Amino acid sequence: MNKDTIAVGLDIGTTKIVVMIGRKNEYGKLEILGVGKSKSLGVHRGVVNNITQTIQSIQQAVLEAENNSNYKIHDVVVGIAGQHIRSIQHSDYISRSNAEEVIGDADIEKLIGQVHKLAMLPGEEIIHVLPQEFKIDGQSEIKEPIGMYGGRLESSFHVVVGQAASIRNLGRCIKSSGLELSGLTLEPLASADAVLSQDEKEAGVALVDIGGGTTDLAVFKDGIIRHTAVIPFGGNVITEDIKEGCSIIEKQAELLKVKFGSAWPGENKDNEIVSIPGLRGREPKEISLKNLSKIIHARVVEIIEQVYAEIKLYGHEESKKKLIAGIVLTGGGAELKHIKQLVEYITGMDTRIGYPNEHLAGDSHEELSSPIYATAVGLVMNSIRNNTKSATPLLELKKIEEEQNYFEAKQAEPEETEDKQQNNTVVESSESKVRKSFFDKYIEKIKEFLDNAE
């Protein structure tokens, strides 16, 4: 692992935008160097619907993260979600010219590249091609085909698809914020990296990330992703229901939900009442906590039932596909009181709340181990795996700038010596350290796609 790897994750949510800078410490844990957070304006149900406001929110979060960490951010791994995401199962194969040669990375790449050429519906783009099990010359259930012999290599794939326009808009926001896009990851996959253990993925688990605008689902079995879905409801619709049901403003509805809300109405007694200040000198409003819980309960049940329908669609009721590790809840919605009990009651599956603290260094700020930051932590982990240098210490940048100024002044002098030419080379190599090259063919493909789309 490259010690200089500085990773940056950008989580563009419906309610908040989080920029997180991190690196791995000597114990293999994630050390968070800085976090920036801003209110998300211009995003609805995970999809950008106002470019200018989204750019402002991103820049605000980036600035805060840079000030907190003393690092300058160059590029980011971005999470993608939203109601336009769908997934399909697909099988494909390649015939190898020489069956006597062992199967290598190039063969796998060729097979994945073939899937990337799949004809999609108009306006759709493939985001992820995730191989599941491989087959070599009819021999099935092969998890790792590299190093084996065979003429026909086939595999089943989980293909994640999204609207090209939404991806393009996201790319435009990042570019206009002065950043490069170094990776694009489906948000439930990033959250899964942060909160699930390998044992859970092997046993079978459904990760449910309840965000502000959407609820994301990722199902794992035998260590492989089996099903993904995005449900276009999240914490915001609960707030909206409270606002309408109690005739109060949105800010008060959100506060009520966070401070007094419960997904289980039986918990509150009839005489438990909270008083809300009236608007502009009007009388204060008295709201029964039992009624509040009933409103929350009705909407949460609806969200959970849709999630459970997706889990059934995967085939959880078949004995071979049973999710032994049950459900893991994460995201801001997982902090709602008694939601764990309600999920267990509706689905009959074991449930726990997923915190990203397992991967964080021991001295990390307590706030960062909240389920709210699960996606951001997962995106940083994704960036670390790609050995990116997404940010540079401000001191190093200053030093490079001084060197540059010095050699520019030297260049203005009439005589150019051999020594000076060597020194110029040193500066160029320092600069090239700052500029990050794209590490992955897949990312080049996305960049090319975004450029062509402009």
Side-chain angles (χ1 to χ4, degrees), residues 232-253:
F233 296 113
N236 282 6
V237 286
I238 301 170
T239 306
E240 197 65 33
D241 286 358
I242 297 168
K243 182 181 128 181
E244 298 298 328
C246 301
S247 302
I248 53 176
I249 61 170
E250 196 171 326
K251 200 192 290 180
Q252 292 171 335

Side-chain angles (χ1 to χ4, degrees), residues 142-439:
I142 294 167
K143 284 190 181 177
E144 184 49 88
I146 290 172
M148 296 179 81
Y149 292 95
R152 180 186 163 107
L153 173 68
E154 56 187 301
S155 176
S156 52
F157 293 93
H158 184 78
V159 183
V160 180
V161 179
Q163 283 292 333
S166 298
I167 302 166
R168 192 187 310 155
N169 289 337
L170 198 62
R172 174 64 58 83
C173 291
I174 290 148
K175 228 173 182 177
S176 302
S177 303
L179 303 167
E180 287 285 353
L181 179 70
S182 66
L184 199 60
T185 299
L186 189 64
E187 290 201 350
L189 298 183
S191 303
D193 279 347
V195 303
L196 297 181
S197 69
Q198 195 50 43
D199 287 348
E200 282 176 318
K201 288 181 183 177
E202 287 289 341
V205 67
L207 177 92
V208 180
D209 185 342
I210 307 169
T214 58
T215 297
D216 304 334
L217 170 73
V219 176
F220 292 84
K221 179 75 177 173
D222 302 325
I224 297 164
I225 180 95
R226 300 293 182 181
H227 187 72
T228 51
V230 177
I231 290 143
F233 296 113
N236 282 6
V237 286
I238 301 170
T239 306
E240 197 65 33
D241 286 358
I242 297 168
K243 182 181 128 181
E244 298 298 328
C246 301
S247 302
I248 53 176
I249 61 170
E250 196 171 326
K251 200 192 290 180
Q252 292 171 335
E254 183 64 29
L255 268 172
L256 266 181
K257 180 182 80 175
V258 173
K259 281 196 161 188
F260 303 103
S262 164
W264 202 267
E267 282 297 308
N268 300 110
K269 296 180 181 69
D270 290 324
N271 60 352
E272 283 183 293
I273 281 168
V274 64
S275 184
I276 298 277
L279 293 174
R280 278 287 187 133
R282 291 175 180 83
E283 289 291 303
K285 252 195 175 79
E286 290 194 336
I287 288 158
S288 151
L289 290 189
K290 188 148 199 142
N291 279 347
L292 176 70
S293 291
K294 277 180 181 171
I295 293 167
I296 294 170
H297 175 81
R299 185 57 89 169
V300 174
V301 166
E302 190 186 340
I303 292 169
I304 296 165
E305 280 175 348
Q306 288 203 38
V307 167
Y308 194 42
E310 287 288 345
I311 292 171
K312 283 184 188 165
L313 193 66
Y314 146 75
H316 160 67
E317 285 163 339
E318 294 172 35
S319 58
K320 269 190 171 181
K321 292 183 171 182
K322 200 165 177 61
L323 303 177
I324 296 161
I327 291 172
V328 175
L329 296 171
T330 194
E335 294 191 310
L336 187 62
K337 252 181 268 169
H338 305 117
I339 192 163
K340 171 187 177 294
Q341 290 85 336
L342 183 61
V343 172
E344 284 182 332
Y345 176 75
I346 291 171
T347 64
M349 296 166 77
D350 281 344
T351 305
R352 76 170 177 90
I353 307 293
Y355 300 94
N357 51 1
E358 189 193 320
H359 299 284
L360 296 175
D363 57 355
S364 295
H365 196 284
E366 200 179 317
E367 191 195 357
L368 296 176
S369 60
S370 158
I372 289 172
Y373 291 104
T375 303
V377 169
L379 291 169
V380 173
M381 288 167 68
N382 185 290
S383 184
I384 281 174
R385 274 201 300 276
N386 296 325
N387 274 342
T388 52
K389 184 160 186 187
S390 299
T392 311
L394 291 174
L395 281 171
E396 194 179 308
L397 275 176
K398 202 176 170 191
K399 195 178 163 192
I400 289 167
E401 206 177 306
E402 283 168 3
E403 283 178 348
Q404 232 178 332
N405 292 341
Y406 172 76
F407 286 112
E408 273 170 15
K410 277 280 192 188
Q411 232 167 1
E413 290 173 16
E415 279 183 31
E416 189 169 288
T417 64
E418 206 175 304
D419 287 352
K420 200 203 92 180
Q421 283 176 338
Q422 285 173 347
N423 281 336
N424 274 342
T425 313
V426 170
V427 179
E428 277 165 25
S429 65
S430 303
E431 276 189 285
S432 65
K433 280 179 193 169
V434 180
R435 287 197 218 105
K436 199 191 130 297
S437 64
F438 284 102
F439 49 80

Side-chain angles (χ1 to χ4, degrees), residues 433-448:
K433 280 179 193 169
V434 180
R435 287 197 218 105
K436 199 191 130 297
S437 64
F438 284 102
F439 49 80
D440 193 4
K441 280 182 186 172
Y442 168 59
I443 299 309
E444 279 170 14
K445 185 176 177 295
I446 289 173
K447 197 161 184 283
E448 195 182 307

